[in-house]
Amino acid sequence: MQSADRIVEVYSGAAAVLVPCASRKRLQPDRNASAVSLHRSDQTDLETAWLQQLRKLPVACEATELYGGRGFQLARQASTIADAPLYIVSAGLGLVAAERPVPTYGLTVSGRGPESIAARVNGRFDAVSWWHAVNKGPYSTPLASIFKRNASQPVVIALSQPYARMLASSLDALTDADVARLRVIGVNLDTVLSSRFAPSLLPYDERLEAIMPGTRADFPQRALLHFASEGLAICPGADASTHSGWVQSALAGRRAPARRQRPRLSDDDILALIKRHLPTMTGIGRLLRVLRNQEGVACEQARFSRLYRAAIEERTAA
């Protein structure tokens, strides 16, 4: 398998697929639907204020239609291949079923900028406490309920470290039987999750680049797609140990290509580059590729999206 585009067959193999939400949204939220609308205060007050705000926001679309970006599209494809319902781990909405109608919003527990809820908290931000709060919101599904269906099939979770850290306590509350059904995918998640989940962690690493290349940001989703399209099909009904062994075999003999080292620039420097190219080119994805491939500069997609929007707003106001 060389790319996601060549995966066309559909296999039945998972009870559910869980992935983080994407910072890139197809519908941009109003200011009152973003973290920046909340007054800086203690976290408990912010949790209450955000839940109150959520209940006032109008529904915009189904959750699966809200998020953009390559990583989320790979996750959608993986859930289809696994013939499994997709759930979205959202810092703003909780654990959301893909078909659930939701409002558009702007809130994240990772990164900085106007959508960062951590930036609004007086003192230390507690991601676990925040997650417990948003799971009481009007759009969230209890995690334990997902394990009540298709008990013979695994529940596959692809996570970044910030989202794994946010879910850690909820995952710890699962029964031993539920934990045995988990297949967890991500980078260095053993440093975030307890040793209880060691058997559930699928051993994907940078050698995945030789099979399905992409960015560091979409690594969990690429690994998820690889596992859904091949691992679940080749080892249907297998336990976590067998699935881990299959991943090790799939990566054996592969070699990760050397990554080009790109310098990191300040926000002001990246803004200047965006403005330089805007007269002849628009679009977040196209400009980000120019930044990385032509300018040779490193920039995470979420950060670039924020700076791109700032450049567009400044250009419109001029």
Side-chain angles (χ1 to χ4, degrees), residues 132-144:
H132 285 310
V134 295
N135 266 308
K136 299 173 185 176
Y139 303 100
S140 187
T141 300
L143 177 61

Side-chain angles (χ1 to χ4, degrees), residues 111-166:
R112 301 174 182 175
E115 296 189 353
S116 170
I117 188 61
R120 316 305 299 171
V121 173
N122 287 330
R124 179 179 174 274
F125 175 67
D126 185 337
V128 171
S129 174
W130 181 263
W131 179 247
H132 285 310
V134 295
N135 266 308
K136 299 173 185 176
Y139 303 100
S140 187
T141 300
L143 177 61
S145 68
I146 293 173
F147 291 83
K148 293 180 180 179
R149 62 171 68 89
N150 299 331
S152 62
Q153 294 181 323
V155 173
V156 188
I157 306 180
L159 294 171
S160 62
Q161 284 194 1
Y163 280 77
R165 194 171 292 110
M166 187 171 66

Side-chain angles (χ1 to χ4, degrees), residues 74-90:
L74 294 178
R76 289 181 63 177
Q77 193 174 356
S79 72
T80 299
I81 289 170
D83 194 22
L86 178 65
Y87 289 86
I88 301 154
V89 181
S90 164

Side-chain angles (χ1 to χ4, degrees), residues 1-3 70 74 208-215 218 222 257:
M1 182 178 64
Q2 298 300 317
S3 71
R70 179 174 185 256
L74 294 178
L208 180 66
E209 294 293 322
I211 304 172
M212 188 182 293
T215 68
D218 63 23
R222 285 186 287 121

Side-chain angles (χ1 to χ4, degrees), residues 161-233:
Q161 284 194 1
Y163 280 77
R165 194 171 292 110
M166 187 171 66
L167 261 67
S169 177
S170 295
L171 292 173
D172 266 332
L174 294 173
T175 66
D176 290 342
D178 289 343
V179 171
R181 291 175 61 193
L182 283 177
R183 306 293 182 269
V184 185
I185 298 170
V187 179
N188 296 328
L189 296 187
D190 57 329
T191 65
V192 177
L193 301 177
S194 72
S195 59
R196 185 182 181 213
F197 298 93
S200 301
L201 295 174
L202 297 183
Y204 279 101
D205 57 36
E206 66 276 3
R207 289 173 292 173
L208 180 66
E209 294 293 322
I211 304 172
M212 188 182 293
T215 68
R216 292 184 185 277
D218 63 23
F219 177 91
Q221 292 88 346
R222 285 186 287 121
L224 166 66
L225 182 54
H226 181 256
F227 179 67
S229 61
E230 296 194 14
L232 290 176

Side-chain angles (χ1 to χ4, degrees), residues 31-47:
R31 181 181 173 85
N32 65 353
S34 181
V36 75
S37 68
L38 302 176
H39 296 295
R40 186 177 178 87
S41 58
D42 293 339
Q43 184 167 328
T44 53
D45 293 334
L46 283 173
E47 291 167 356

Side-chain angles (χ1 to χ4, degrees), residues 52-125:
Q52 292 174 343
Q53 194 81 325
L54 275 185
R55 294 185 174 92
K56 298 175 184 177
L57 297 177
V59 167
C61 61
E62 290 188 357
T64 191
E65 299 299 328
L66 179 59
Y67 305 101
R70 179 174 185 256
F72 188 74
Q73 300 315 310
L74 294 178
R76 289 181 63 177
Q77 193 174 356
S79 72
T80 299
I81 289 170
D83 194 22
L86 178 65
Y87 289 86
I88 301 154
V89 181
S90 164
L93 304 177
L95 184 61
V96 184
E99 71 277 7
R100 181 71 184 266
V102 297
T104 185
Y105 69 98
L107 188 146
T108 182
V109 294
S110 59
R112 301 174 182 175
E115 296 189 353
S116 170
I117 188 61
R120 316 305 299 171
V121 173
N122 287 330
R124 179 179 174 274
F125 175 67

